Amino acid sequence: MEESRPLDTLNQSRNKNVMVDLKNNYRYIGKLIAFDIHVNVVLADATEYYNGEEKRKIGTVFIRGDTIIIITPA
Amino acid sequence: MEESRPLDTLNQSRNKNVMVDLKNNYRYIGKLIAFDIHVNVVLADATEYYNGEEKRKIGTVFIRGDTIIIITPA
Amino acid sequence: MEESRPLDTLNQSRNKNVMVDLKNNYRYIGKLIAFDIHVNVVLADATEYYNGEEKRKIGTVFIRGDTIIIITPA
Amino acid sequence: MEESRPLDTLNQSRNKNVMVDLKNNYRYIGKLIAFDIHVNVVLADATEYYNGEEKRKIGTVFIRGDTIIIITPA
Amino acid sequence: MEESRPLDTLNQSRNKNVMVDLKNNYRYIGKLIAFDIHVNVVLADATEYYNGEEKRKIGTVFIRGDTIIIITPA
Amino acid sequence: MEESRPLDTLNQSRNKNVMVDLKNNYRYIGKLIAFDIHVNVVLADATEYYNGEEKRKIGTVFIRGDTIIIITPA
Amino acid sequence: MEESRPLDTLNQSRNKNVMVDLKNNYRYIGKLIAFDIHVNVVLADATEYYNGEEKRKIGTVFIRGDTIIIITPA
Protein backbone atom coordinates (compact mmCIF):
# COMPACT_ATOMS: atom_id res chain seq x y z
CA MET A 1 0.00 0.00 0.00
CA GLU A 2 3.04 2.24 0.38
CA GLU A 3 2.92 2.96 -3.36
CA SER A 4 -0.82 3.34 -3.98
CA ARG A 5 -2.03 6.38 -5.93
CA PRO A 6 -5.30 8.30 -5.63
CA LEU A 7 -6.60 7.16 -9.04
CA ASP A 8 -5.85 3.53 -8.15
CA THR A 9 -7.98 3.79 -5.05
CA LEU A 10 -10.69 5.56 -7.06
CA ASN A 11 -10.63 2.58 -9.41
CA GLN A 12 -11.89 0.38 -6.55
CA SER A 13 -15.17 2.34 -6.71
CA ARG A 14 -15.79 1.57 -10.39
CA ASN A 15 -19.33 0.31 -11.02
CA LYS A 16 -20.25 1.22 -7.46
CA ASN A 17 -22.26 4.17 -6.21
CA VAL A 18 -20.28 7.31 -5.37
CA MET A 19 -21.11 10.81 -4.20
CA VAL A 20 -19.38 13.65 -6.13
CA ASP A 21 -19.36 17.11 -4.48
CA LEU A 22 -18.76 20.14 -6.72
CA LYS A 23 -17.45 23.66 -6.02
CA ASN A 24 -20.90 25.14 -6.79
CA ASN A 25 -22.65 23.22 -3.96
CA TYR A 26 -24.10 20.63 -6.35
CA ARG A 27 -23.78 16.94 -5.53
CA TYR A 28 -24.23 13.98 -7.87
CA ILE A 29 -24.84 10.43 -6.66
CA GLY A 30 -24.60 7.60 -9.19
CA LYS A 31 -22.64 4.60 -10.39
CA LEU A 32 -19.01 5.43 -11.27
CA ILE A 33 -18.61 4.38 -14.92
CA ALA A 34 -15.46 6.21 -16.00
CA PHE A 35 -12.80 8.73 -14.90
CA ASP A 36 -9.45 10.00 -16.18
CA ILE A 37 -6.31 11.77 -14.91
CA HIS A 38 -8.04 15.16 -14.96
CA VAL A 39 -10.64 13.59 -12.62
CA ASN A 40 -13.30 14.04 -15.31
CA VAL A 41 -15.99 11.60 -14.17
CA VAL A 42 -18.99 9.82 -15.73
CA LEU A 43 -21.81 8.54 -13.51
CA ALA A 44 -24.76 6.37 -14.56
CA ASP A 45 -28.25 6.43 -13.00
CA ALA A 46 -27.32 9.72 -11.35
CA THR A 47 -29.37 12.03 -9.14
CA GLU A 48 -28.58 15.74 -8.72
CA TYR A 49 -28.72 17.54 -5.35
CA TYR A 50 -28.29 21.23 -4.56
CA ASN A 51 -27.47 22.30 -1.02
CA GLY A 52 -28.54 18.85 0.18
CA GLU A 53 -31.94 18.85 -1.61
CA GLU A 54 -32.77 16.43 -4.45
CA LYS A 55 -33.31 18.31 -7.72
CA ARG A 56 -33.69 15.76 -10.53
CA LYS A 57 -32.87 12.33 -11.92
CA ILE A 58 -30.40 12.84 -14.78
CA GLY A 59 -29.37 9.36 -15.92
CA THR A 60 -25.82 9.54 -17.28
CA VAL A 61 -23.75 12.63 -16.45
CA PHE A 62 -20.29 13.77 -17.54
CA ILE A 63 -18.68 15.95 -14.85
CA ARG A 64 -15.66 18.12 -15.70
CA GLY A 65 -12.85 17.40 -13.25
CA ASP A 66 -11.91 20.96 -12.32
CA THR A 67 -15.33 21.49 -10.72
CA ILE A 68 -14.95 18.51 -8.34
CA ILE A 69 -13.93 18.83 -4.68
CA ILE A 70 -14.34 15.32 -3.26
CA ILE A 71 -15.55 11.84 -4.25
CA THR A 72 -16.78 9.41 -1.59
CA PRO A 73 -18.51 6.01 -1.59
CA ALA A 74 -22.32 6.47 -1.46
CA MET B 1 -16.27 -1.42 -19.13
CA GLU B 2 -13.53 -1.53 -16.50
CA GLU B 3 -11.33 0.56 -18.78
CA SER B 4 -13.82 3.08 -20.18
CA ARG B 5 -12.87 6.76 -20.10
CA PRO B 6 -15.10 9.82 -19.74
CA LEU B 7 -14.48 11.03 -23.31
CA ASP B 8 -15.35 7.57 -24.66
CA THR B 9 -18.71 7.67 -22.94
CA LEU B 10 -19.22 11.25 -24.17
CA ASN B 11 -18.62 9.93 -27.67
CA GLN B 12 -21.80 7.84 -27.35
CA SER B 13 -23.76 11.12 -27.31
CA ARG B 14 -22.36 12.33 -30.64
CA ASN B 15 -25.09 13.54 -32.99
CA LYS B 16 -27.59 13.30 -30.15
CA ASN B 17 -29.10 16.09 -28.08
CA VAL B 18 -27.22 17.03 -24.92
CA MET B 19 -27.60 19.63 -22.18
CA VAL B 20 -24.42 21.56 -21.28
CA ASP B 21 -24.43 23.48 -17.97
CA LEU B 22 -21.90 26.31 -17.53
CA LYS B 23 -20.35 27.94 -14.44
CA ASN B 24 -22.21 31.20 -15.19
CA ASN B 25 -25.69 29.60 -14.88
CA TYR B 26 -26.14 29.40 -18.66
CA ARG B 27 -27.33 26.15 -20.23
CA TYR B 28 -27.12 25.11 -23.88
CA ILE B 29 -29.22 22.32 -25.39
CA GLY B 30 -28.34 21.08 -28.87
CA LYS B 31 -26.91 18.27 -30.97
CA LEU B 32 -23.37 17.30 -29.93
CA ILE B 33 -21.25 17.74 -33.08
CA ALA B 34 -17.70 17.83 -31.74
CA PHE B 35 -15.60 17.84 -28.55
CA ASP B 36 -11.91 17.51 -27.62
CA ILE B 37 -9.72 16.61 -24.61
CA HIS B 38 -10.17 20.10 -23.12
CA VAL B 39 -13.92 19.40 -23.22
CA ASN B 40 -14.35 22.23 -25.74
CA VAL B 41 -17.74 21.41 -27.27
CA VAL B 42 -19.67 22.31 -30.44
CA LEU B 43 -23.46 22.00 -30.52
CA ALA B 44 -25.74 22.39 -33.56
CA ASP B 45 -29.34 23.68 -33.51
CA ALA B 46 -28.69 24.98 -30.00
CA THR B 47 -30.93 26.92 -27.64
CA GLU B 48 -29.59 29.10 -24.80
CA TYR B 49 -31.12 29.18 -21.31
CA TYR B 50 -30.28 31.39 -18.34
CA ASN B 51 -31.36 30.34 -14.86
CA GLY B 52 -33.78 27.88 -16.46
CA GLU B 53 -35.42 30.41 -18.82
CA GLU B 54 -35.10 30.16 -22.63
CA LYS B 55 -33.18 33.17 -24.01
CA ARG B 56 -32.55 32.57 -27.74
CA LYS B 57 -32.01 30.13 -30.58
CA ILE B 58 -28.33 30.31 -31.54
CA GLY B 59 -27.78 27.62 -34.18
CA THR B 60 -24.19 26.38 -33.92
CA VAL B 61 -22.25 27.25 -30.76
CA PHE B 62 -18.62 26.67 -29.75
CA ILE B 63 -18.34 26.36 -25.95
CA ARG B 64 -14.91 26.69 -24.27
CA GLY B 65 -14.29 23.68 -22.05
CA ASP B 66 -13.16 25.44 -18.90
CA THR B 67 -16.59 27.05 -18.49
CA ILE B 68 -18.43 23.68 -18.49
CA ILE B 69 -19.62 21.92 -15.31
CA ILE B 70 -21.66 18.95 -16.58
CA ILE B 71 -22.96 17.42 -19.82
CA THR B 72 -26.07 15.21 -19.78
CA PRO B 73 -28.32 13.60 -22.44
CA ALA B 74 -31.25 15.95 -23.26
CA MET C 1 -18.60 13.80 -38.89
CA GLU C 2 -17.93 11.19 -36.22
CA GLU C 3 -14.38 12.49 -35.92
CA SER C 4 -14.87 16.26 -36.15
CA ARG C 5 -13.20 18.47 -33.54
CA PRO C 6 -14.35 21.80 -32.11
CA LEU C 7 -11.52 23.79 -33.75
CA ASP C 8 -12.34 22.21 -37.12
CA THR C 9 -15.91 23.41 -36.88
CA LEU C 10 -14.67 26.84 -35.73
CA ASN C 11 -12.57 26.92 -38.88
CA GLN C 12 -15.77 26.94 -40.96
CA SER C 13 -16.46 30.42 -39.55
CA ARG C 14 -13.17 31.89 -40.75
CA ASN C 15 -13.64 35.19 -42.58
CA LYS C 16 -17.27 35.22 -41.47
CA ASN C 17 -18.90 37.30 -38.75
CA VAL C 18 -18.98 35.73 -35.28
CA MET C 19 -20.16 36.79 -31.85
CA VAL C 20 -17.68 36.17 -29.00
CA ASP C 21 -19.07 36.29 -25.43
CA LEU C 22 -16.60 36.86 -22.56
CA LYS C 23 -16.74 36.01 -18.85
CA ASN C 24 -16.92 39.75 -17.97
CA ASN C 25 -20.22 40.30 -19.85
CA TYR C 26 -18.49 41.89 -22.83
CA ARG C 27 -19.36 40.72 -26.34
CA TYR C 28 -17.39 41.29 -29.54
CA ILE C 29 -18.90 40.93 -33.02
CA GLY C 30 -16.55 40.92 -36.01
CA LYS C 31 -14.98 38.88 -38.80
CA LEU C 32 -13.05 35.84 -37.51
CA ILE C 33 -9.49 36.29 -38.83
CA ALA C 34 -7.47 33.92 -36.66
CA PHE C 35 -7.64 31.52 -33.69
CA ASP C 36 -5.38 28.94 -32.05
CA ILE C 37 -5.61 25.91 -29.73
CA HIS C 38 -5.89 28.17 -26.64
CA VAL C 39 -8.95 29.69 -28.36
CA ASN C 40 -7.12 33.03 -28.57
CA VAL C 41 -9.10 34.84 -31.27
CA VAL C 42 -8.58 37.81 -33.62
CA LEU C 43 -11.56 39.63 -35.08
CA ALA C 44 -11.52 42.35 -37.76
CA ASP C 45 -14.01 45.23 -38.07
CA ALA C 46 -15.16 44.46 -34.55
CA THR C 47 -17.75 46.17 -32.37
CA GLU C 48 -17.75 45.95 -28.56
CA TYR C 49 -20.92 45.46 -26.48
CA TYR C 50 -21.36 45.47 -22.71
CA ASN C 51 -24.47 43.90 -21.20
CA GLY C 52 -26.08 43.98 -24.65
CA GLU C 53 -25.37 47.69 -25.32
CA GLU C 54 -23.02 48.84 -28.11
CA LYS C 55 -19.96 50.60 -26.64
CA ARG C 56 -17.51 51.30 -29.49
CA LYS C 57 -16.09 50.31 -32.87
CA ILE C 58 -12.63 48.84 -32.29
CA GLY C 59 -11.40 47.58 -35.65
CA THR C 60 -9.06 44.64 -35.07
CA VAL C 61 -9.12 42.99 -31.64
CA PHE C 62 -7.01 40.21 -30.10
CA ILE C 63 -9.02 38.31 -27.46
CA ARG C 64 -7.23 36.06 -24.94
CA GLY C 65 -8.80 32.60 -25.01
CA ASP C 66 -9.23 32.07 -21.28
CA THR C 67 -11.73 34.95 -21.10
CA ILE C 68 -14.04 33.43 -23.75
CA ILE C 69 -17.24 31.50 -22.92
CA ILE C 70 -18.88 30.88 -26.31
CA ILE C 71 -18.46 31.72 -30.00
CA THR C 72 -21.48 31.73 -32.34
CA PRO C 73 -22.14 32.79 -35.95
CA ALA C 74 -23.34 36.46 -36.04
CA MET D 1 18.00 17.09 4.02
CA GLU D 2 19.33 19.74 1.63
CA GLU D 3 17.66 17.95 -1.26
CA SER D 4 14.33 16.88 0.26
CA ARG D 5 11.14 17.64 -1.69
CA PRO D 6 7.65 18.38 -0.38
CA LEU D 7 6.17 15.11 -1.66
CA ASP D 8 8.98 13.16 0.01
CA THR D 9 8.17 14.71 3.35
CA LEU D 10 4.45 14.08 2.72
CA ASN D 11 5.36 10.44 2.19
CA GLN D 12 6.46 10.23 5.83
CA SER D 13 2.80 10.72 6.80
CA ARG D 14 1.57 7.73 4.80
CA ASN D 15 -0.73 5.49 6.84
CA LYS D 16 -0.80 8.10 9.57
CA ASN D 17 -3.57 10.54 10.44
CA VAL D 18 -3.44 13.91 8.68
CA MET D 19 -5.60 17.01 8.61
CA VAL D 20 -6.38 18.39 5.12
CA ASP D 21 -7.71 21.97 4.91
CA LEU D 22 -9.57 23.01 1.74
CA LYS D 23 -10.21 26.41 0.11
CA ASN D 24 -13.96 26.13 0.92
CA ASN D 25 -13.39 25.99 4.72
CA TYR D 26 -13.89 22.22 4.84
CA ARG D 27 -11.39 20.05 6.72
CA TYR D 28 -10.90 16.30 6.46
CA ILE D 29 -9.09 14.23 9.09
CA GLY D 30 -8.19 10.64 8.25
CA LYS D 31 -5.42 8.18 7.47
CA LEU D 32 -3.31 9.21 4.45
CA ILE D 33 -3.59 6.30 1.99
CA ALA D 34 -2.46 7.81 -1.29
CA PHE D 35 -1.37 11.06 -3.00
CA ASP D 36 0.16 12.09 -6.34
CA ILE D 37 2.07 15.01 -7.89
CA HIS D 38 -1.13 17.04 -8.29
CA VAL D 39 -1.58 16.64 -4.51
CA ASN D 40 -4.75 14.62 -5.13
CA VAL D 41 -5.17 12.81 -1.82
CA VAL D 42 -7.07 9.74 -0.51
CA LEU D 43 -7.87 9.42 3.18
CA ALA D 44 -9.35 6.39 4.96
CA ASP D 45 -11.62 6.47 8.04
CA ALA D 46 -12.13 10.17 7.40
CA THR D 47 -14.25 12.72 9.23
CA GLU D 48 -15.52 15.93 7.62
CA TYR D 49 -15.52 19.31 9.41
CA TYR D 50 -16.92 22.66 8.28
CA ASN D 51 -15.73 25.84 9.96
CA GLY D 52 -14.32 23.72 12.78
CA GLU D 53 -17.53 21.74 13.43
CA GLU D 54 -17.79 17.97 12.81
CA LYS D 55 -20.27 17.22 10.01
CA ARG D 56 -20.08 13.50 9.22
CA LYS D 57 -18.04 10.31 9.09
CA ILE D 58 -17.29 9.58 5.43
CA GLY D 59 -14.98 6.55 5.40
CA THR D 60 -12.74 6.78 2.32
CA VAL D 61 -12.53 10.14 0.53
CA PHE D 62 -10.78 11.21 -2.67
CA ILE D 63 -9.83 14.92 -2.50
CA ARG D 64 -8.91 16.80 -5.70
CA GLY D 65 -5.56 18.51 -5.22
CA ASP D 66 -6.43 21.97 -6.50
CA THR D 67 -8.88 22.47 -3.61
CA ILE D 68 -6.23 21.81 -0.92
CA ILE D 69 -4.45 24.57 1.01
CA ILE D 70 -2.42 22.72 3.66
CA ILE D 71 -1.82 19.20 5.02
CA THR D 72 -0.63 18.71 8.60
CA PRO D 73 -0.17 15.73 10.91
CA ALA D 74 -3.33 15.16 13.00
CA MET E 1 -5.19 34.24 -44.56
CA GLU E 2 -6.83 30.86 -44.04
CA GLU E 3 -3.87 29.81 -41.89
CA SER E 4 -3.14 32.98 -39.90
CA ARG E 5 -2.78 32.69 -36.13
CA PRO E 6 -3.60 35.22 -33.42
CA LEU E 7 0.05 35.83 -32.48
CA ASP E 8 0.92 36.42 -36.14
CA THR E 9 -1.68 39.14 -36.37
CA LEU E 10 -0.48 40.58 -33.05
CA ASN E 11 2.97 40.77 -34.60
CA GLN E 12 1.66 43.32 -37.08
CA SER E 13 1.21 45.71 -34.16
CA ARG E 14 4.87 45.52 -33.07
CA ASN E 15 6.40 48.97 -32.50
CA LYS E 16 2.94 50.50 -32.86
CA ASN E 17 0.65 51.84 -30.14
CA VAL E 18 -1.79 49.34 -28.63
CA MET E 19 -4.40 49.40 -25.88
CA VAL E 20 -4.25 46.48 -23.41
CA ASP E 21 -7.33 45.90 -21.21
CA LEU E 22 -6.88 43.87 -18.02
CA LYS E 23 -9.30 41.84 -15.89
CA ASN E 24 -8.98 44.36 -13.03
CA ASN E 25 -10.34 47.29 -15.10
CA TYR E 26 -6.89 48.73 -15.72
CA ARG E 27 -5.87 49.72 -19.25
CA TYR E 28 -2.37 50.36 -20.58
CA ILE E 29 -1.66 52.29 -23.78
CA GLY E 30 1.86 52.19 -25.19
CA LYS E 31 4.15 50.95 -27.94
CA LEU E 32 4.13 47.13 -28.27
CA ILE E 33 7.77 46.07 -27.82
CA ALA E 34 7.51 42.37 -27.05
CA PHE E 35 5.07 39.50 -26.43
CA ASP E 36 5.21 35.70 -26.12
CA ILE E 37 2.93 32.66 -26.37
CA HIS E 38 1.55 33.25 -22.87
CA VAL E 39 0.53 36.71 -24.14
CA ASN E 40 2.94 38.31 -21.65
CA VAL E 41 3.40 41.78 -23.12
CA VAL E 42 5.92 44.65 -22.82
CA LEU E 43 4.89 48.20 -23.71
CA ALA E 44 7.17 51.27 -23.97
CA ASP E 45 6.13 54.87 -23.23
CA ALA E 46 3.03 53.52 -21.52
CA THR E 47 0.22 55.32 -19.73
CA GLU E 48 -1.99 53.63 -17.12
CA TYR E 49 -5.78 54.15 -16.94
CA TYR E 50 -8.27 52.90 -14.35
CA ASN E 51 -11.96 52.78 -15.24
CA GLY E 52 -11.24 55.09 -18.18
CA GLU E 53 -9.33 57.73 -16.16
CA GLU E 54 -5.62 58.43 -16.70
CA LYS E 55 -3.61 57.51 -13.58
CA ARG E 56 0.10 57.85 -14.41
CA LYS E 57 2.86 57.70 -17.01
CA ILE E 58 4.86 54.52 -16.37
CA GLY E 59 7.41 54.26 -19.18
CA THR E 60 8.13 50.58 -19.82
CA VAL E 61 5.72 48.01 -18.38
CA PHE E 62 5.77 44.22 -18.30
CA ILE E 63 2.20 42.82 -18.21
CA ARG E 64 1.60 39.18 -17.20
CA GLY E 65 -0.50 37.47 -19.88
CA ASP E 66 -3.10 35.83 -17.67
CA THR E 67 -4.40 39.25 -16.57
CA ILE E 68 -5.10 40.40 -20.16
CA ILE E 69 -8.55 40.35 -21.76
CA ILE E 70 -8.08 42.12 -25.12
CA ILE E 71 -5.43 43.99 -27.13
CA THR E 72 -6.47 46.54 -29.76
CA PRO E 73 -4.65 49.11 -31.93
CA ALA E 74 -4.58 52.52 -30.14
CA MET F 1 24.20 36.83 -10.10
CA GLU F 2 23.10 37.72 -13.63
CA GLU F 3 21.80 34.19 -14.06
CA SER F 4 20.25 33.47 -10.66
CA ARG F 5 16.73 32.02 -10.57
CA PRO F 6 14.01 32.50 -7.95
CA LEU F 7 14.20 28.88 -6.73
CA ASP F 8 17.99 29.19 -6.35
CA THR F 9 17.58 32.18 -4.09
CA LEU F 10 14.82 30.37 -2.18
CA ASN F 11 17.30 27.57 -1.64
CA GLN F 12 19.45 29.95 0.45
CA SER F 13 16.63 29.96 3.03
CA ARG F 14 16.63 26.18 3.48
CA ASN F 15 16.70 25.16 7.16
CA LYS F 16 16.11 28.79 8.11
CA ASN F 17 12.90 30.41 9.33
CA VAL F 18 10.64 31.87 6.66
CA MET F 19 7.26 33.56 6.59
CA VAL F 20 4.80 32.24 3.96
CA ASP F 21 1.78 34.44 3.14
CA LEU F 22 -1.25 32.78 1.49
CA LYS F 23 -4.09 34.13 -0.66
CA ASN F 24 -6.61 33.46 2.15
CA ASN F 25 -4.88 35.82 4.62
CA TYR F 26 -3.21 32.97 6.50
CA ARG F 27 0.50 33.16 7.29
CA TYR F 28 2.82 30.34 8.31
CA ILE F 29 6.18 30.89 10.01
CA GLY F 30 8.54 27.94 10.34
CA LYS F 31 11.78 26.35 9.18
CA LEU F 32 11.92 25.80 5.39
CA ILE F 33 12.49 22.05 4.96
CA ALA F 34 11.51 21.45 1.33
CA PHE F 35 10.06 23.10 -1.80
CA ASP F 36 9.63 22.21 -5.49
CA ILE F 37 9.08 23.91 -8.86
CA HIS F 38 5.35 24.35 -8.14
CA VAL F 39 6.43 26.26 -5.00
CA ASN F 40 4.84 23.56 -2.85
CA VAL F 41 6.53 24.13 0.52
CA VAL F 42 7.11 22.16 3.73
CA LEU F 43 7.83 24.00 6.99
CA ALA F 44 8.88 22.43 10.32
CA ASP F 45 8.04 23.81 13.79
CA ALA F 46 5.44 26.04 12.14
CA THR F 47 2.99 28.51 13.65
CA GLU F 48 -0.23 29.58 11.92
CA TYR F 49 -1.46 33.20 11.87
CA TYR F 50 -4.71 34.63 10.51
CA ASN F 51 -4.96 38.33 9.78
CA GLY F 52 -1.83 38.86 11.86
CA GLU F 53 -3.07 36.97 14.93
CA GLU F 54 -1.44 33.71 16.14
CA LYS F 55 -3.88 30.78 15.82
CA ARG F 56 -1.99 27.57 16.64
CA LYS F 57 1.29 25.65 16.66
CA ILE F 58 1.11 23.05 13.90
CA GLY F 59 4.52 21.37 13.77
CA THR F 60 5.17 20.24 10.18
CA VAL F 61 2.97 21.68 7.43
CA PHE F 62 2.74 20.96 3.70
CA ILE F 63 1.54 24.08 1.81
CA ARG F 64 0.24 23.74 -1.76
CA GLY F 65 2.08 26.18 -4.02
CA ASP F 66 -0.85 27.73 -5.81
CA THR F 67 -2.12 29.25 -2.54
CA ILE F 68 1.16 31.11 -1.84
CA ILE F 69 1.69 34.81 -2.56
CA ILE F 70 5.11 35.60 -1.06
CA ILE F 71 7.89 33.97 0.98
CA THR F 72 10.22 36.12 3.08
CA PRO F 73 12.94 35.45 5.68
CA ALA F 74 11.43 35.47 9.22
CA MET G 1 13.91 44.50 -31.78
CA GLU G 2 11.44 42.66 -34.01
CA GLU G 3 12.24 39.46 -32.18
CA SER G 4 12.50 40.64 -28.54
CA ARG G 5 10.55 38.71 -25.90
CA PRO G 6 9.02 39.98 -22.66
CA LEU G 7 11.49 38.09 -20.45
CA ASP G 8 14.41 39.53 -22.44
CA THR G 9 13.21 43.05 -21.78
CA LEU G 10 12.63 42.16 -18.10
CA ASN G 11 16.25 41.05 -18.00
CA GLN G 12 17.32 44.66 -18.66
CA SER G 13 15.94 45.52 -15.21
CA ARG G 14 18.10 42.99 -13.37
CA ASN G 15 19.88 44.51 -10.36
CA LYS G 16 17.77 47.65 -10.78
CA ASN G 17 14.79 48.79 -8.73
CA VAL G 18 11.38 47.62 -9.96
CA MET G 19 7.80 47.98 -8.77
CA VAL G 20 5.75 44.74 -8.74
CA ASP G 21 1.95 45.09 -8.49
CA LEU G 22 -0.05 42.06 -7.30
CA LYS G 23 -3.68 41.00 -7.79
CA ASN G 24 -4.39 41.57 -4.07
CA ASN G 25 -3.53 45.30 -4.20
CA TYR G 26 -0.09 44.76 -2.65
CA ARG G 27 2.97 46.36 -4.27
CA TYR G 28 6.61 45.49 -3.72
CA ILE G 29 9.49 47.82 -4.62
CA GLY G 30 13.02 46.44 -4.56
CA LYS G 31 16.04 45.38 -6.58
CA LEU G 32 15.23 42.67 -9.17
CA ILE G 33 17.54 39.75 -8.33
CA ALA G 34 15.94 36.83 -10.15
CA PHE G 35 12.94 35.75 -12.23
CA ASP G 36 11.89 32.71 -14.29
CA ILE G 37 9.47 31.76 -17.09
CA HIS G 38 6.55 31.56 -14.63
CA VAL G 39 7.37 35.20 -13.74
CA ASN G 40 8.26 34.09 -10.20
CA VAL G 41 10.35 37.03 -8.97
CA VAL G 42 12.89 37.70 -6.19
CA LEU G 43 13.51 41.24 -4.99
CA ALA G 44 16.22 42.40 -2.55
CA ASP G 45 15.93 45.37 -0.13
CA ALA G 46 12.19 45.34 -0.72
CA THR G 47 9.43 47.46 0.77
CA GLU G 48 5.79 46.35 0.91
CA TYR G 49 2.87 48.69 0.14
CA TYR G 50 -0.86 48.07 0.44
CA ASN G 51 -3.28 50.32 -1.43
CA GLY G 52 -0.46 52.81 -1.92
CA GLU G 53 0.56 52.96 1.77
CA GLU G 54 3.97 51.70 2.99
CA LYS G 55 3.52 48.70 5.33
CA ARG G 56 6.99 47.30 6.13
CA LYS G 57 10.58 46.74 5.04
CA ILE G 58 10.95 43.05 4.19
CA GLY G 59 14.49 42.61 2.82
CA THR G 60 14.45 39.73 0.32
CA VAL G 61 11.08 38.54 -0.98
CA PHE G 62 10.10 35.66 -3.26
CA ILE G 63 6.89 36.50 -5.18
CA ARG G 64 4.91 33.71 -6.88
CA GLY G 65 4.34 34.61 -10.54
CA ASP G 66 0.64 33.90 -10.78
CA THR G 67 -0.13 36.71 -8.31
CA ILE G 68 1.66 39.37 -10.40
CA ILE G 69 -0.13 41.83 -12.70
CA ILE G 70 2.59 44.23 -13.87
CA ILE G 71 6.29 44.99 -13.33
CA THR G 72 7.63 48.49 -13.99
CA PRO G 73 10.95 50.29 -13.39
CA ALA G 74 10.86 52.09 -10.00
Side-chain angles (χ1 to χ4, degrees), chain E residues 10-56:
Chain E
L10 199 56
N11 202 39
Q12 298 168 14
S13 293
R14 243 187 232 267
N15 296 317
K16 294 179 188 153
N17 279 332
V18 296
M19 189 185 299
V20 181
D21 288 1
L22 306 196
K23 292 175 180 168
N24 62 356
N25 294 316
Y26 275 81
R27 168 177 291 171
Y28 297 90
I29 299 181
K31 191 164 64 163
L32 180 62
I33 296 299
F35 62 88
D36 62 22
I37 58 166
H38 307 292
V39 197
N40 294 319
V41 162
V42 175
L43 304 182
D45 302 324
T47 304
E48 177 180 81
Y49 298 81
Y50 181 65
N51 284 331
E53 192 184 326
E54 179 173 333
K55 302 301 285 183
R56 53 174 178 151

Side-chain angles (χ1 to χ4, degrees), chain G:
Chain G
M1 187 168 289
E2 282 292 300
E3 300 300 314
S4 73
R5 308 246 207 128
L7 295 182
D8 295 339
T9 60
L10 198 57
N11 202 37
Q12 298 168 14
S13 294
R14 243 188 231 266
N15 296 317
K16 294 179 188 153
N17 279 332
V18 296
M19 190 185 298
V20 181
D21 288 1
L22 306 196
K23 291 175 180 168
N24 62 356
N25 295 316
Y26 276 80
R27 167 178 291 172
Y28 297 90
I29 298 181
K31 191 165 63 164
L32 180 63
I33 296 299
F35 62 87
D36 62 22
I37 57 166
H38 307 291
V39 198
N40 294 319
V41 162
V42 174
L43 303 182
D45 303 324
T47 304
E48 177 180 80
Y49 299 81
Y50 182 64
N51 284 330
E53 192 184 327
E54 179 174 331
K55 302 302 285 184
R56 52 174 178 151
K57 307 286 187 190
I58 51 173
T60 300
V61 58
F62 174 99
I63 305 171
R64 200 170 188 274
D66 77 317
T67 67
I68 292 174
I69 300 174
I70 60 166
I71 303 174
T72 53

Side-chain angles (χ1 to χ4, degrees), chain A residues 27-46:
Chain A
R27 167 178 291 171
Y28 297 90
I29 299 181
K31 191 164 64 164
L32 181 62
I33 295 300
F35 62 87
D36 62 21
I37 58 166
H38 307 292
V39 198
N40 294 319
V41 162
V42 175
L43 304 181
D45 303 324

Side-chain angles (χ1 to χ4, degrees), chain B residues 27-30 44-49 54-59:
Chain B
R27 168 178 291 171
Y28 297 89
I29 299 182
D45 303 324
T47 304
E48 177 181 80
Y49 299 81
E54 180 173 330
K55 302 302 284 182
R56 52 174 179 152
K57 308 286 186 189
I58 51 173

